[in-house]
Amino acid sequence: MRRLPTRVDGDALARAVGRWLADRRTRPKGLCGLAVDGQALRGAARAKGRKIHLLATLDQATGPVMAQLDVGEKTNEITCFQPLLDTVADLAATMVTSDAMHTQRDHTDYLLARGAHNIVIVKKNQKKLFKQLKSHPWRDIPLQGRTRNTGHGVVSRRSATVSW
């Protein structure tokens, strides 16, 4: 049993399991959600000590990971975004969320071409877009929702405003 995991191609196994889960996934009417996020695995490392870093997408309604890829040493999450979502068969009528790293024009163009939608987080890593959004008349747009949470001694306040 110990030798079997060393002989299995991890990415191929992840693709096969992801396809199996996707085949059994019941899609709700309307938009469904997929989240894309990267994570360094705790306690797991390559032979040379480099941590294993995965980029994964999960179904926001039911929670299972639909696909994941190993982010190699010579690349980053940005270059793995499209190959990861290429393994998800049907993105039509899907809302894809991700962190600010994936606020990239190429990512949005890719998702639109696949019939998907996306929500992006804009921070100062996108200077031009951040400046355009900062100059938007946000005070004239009604607030759509507000939440306040406390966890681990931190108070988080979030508000949502929608503009087309």
Side-chain angles (χ1 to χ4, degrees):
M1 186 68 177
R2 185 180 294 188
R3 285 185 247 162
L4 180 62
T6 61
R7 295 180 182 170
V8 173
D9 179 349
D11 286 339
L13 177 61
R15 281 190 301 275
V17 170
R19 279 192 213 107
W20 183 81
L21 286 170
D23 288 345
R24 281 144 189 83
R25 181 176 163 210
T26 56
R27 291 182 61 103
K29 291 182 180 179
L31 286 177
C32 59
L34 289 179
V36 175
D37 196 17
Q39 188 69 39
L41 300 181
R42 289 186 187 177
R46 304 255 182 247
K48 295 181 181 178
R50 184 186 74 86
K51 287 186 176 182
I52 296 172
H53 188 91
L54 299 175
L55 184 65
T57 182
L58 63 93
D59 185 313
Q60 291 181 357
T62 58
V65 172
M66 303 306 293
Q68 69 182 16
L69 284 178
D70 183 11
V71 177
E73 289 182 62
K74 306 282 184 189
T75 187
N76 62 33
E77 287 183 24
I78 293 171
T79 60
C80 294
F81 184 86
Q82 290 180 26
L84 172 72
L85 291 174
D86 281 343
T87 66
V88 178
D90 185 15
L91 286 179
T94 300
M95 179 64 70
V96 178
T97 61
S98 58
D99 59 21
M101 180 186 298
H102 298 289
T103 303
Q104 305 286 329
R105 183 183 302 269
D106 289 345
H107 292 1
T108 298
D109 291 343
Y110 168 81
L111 291 170
L112 289 173
R114 299 257 336 251
H117 308 272
N118 67 334
I119 295 176
V120 297
I121 297 172
V122 180
K123 293 185 176 180
K124 291 183 180 178
N125 65 327
Q126 296 286 339
K127 291 179 174 78
K128 190 174 179 182
L129 180 58
F130 185 84
K131 187 177 177 181
Q132 287 175 331
L133 290 173
K134 192 166 173 93
S135 68
H136 201 63
W138 294 108
R139 293 179 188 204
D140 300 338
I141 301 169
L143 185 65
Q144 301 294 312
R146 180 178 291 164
T147 63
R148 182 180 186 273
N149 298 313
T150 304
H152 305 286
V154 177
V155 177
S156 298
R157 293 183 183 100
R158 292 183 174 92
S159 59
T161 306
V162 178
S163 175
W164 297 102

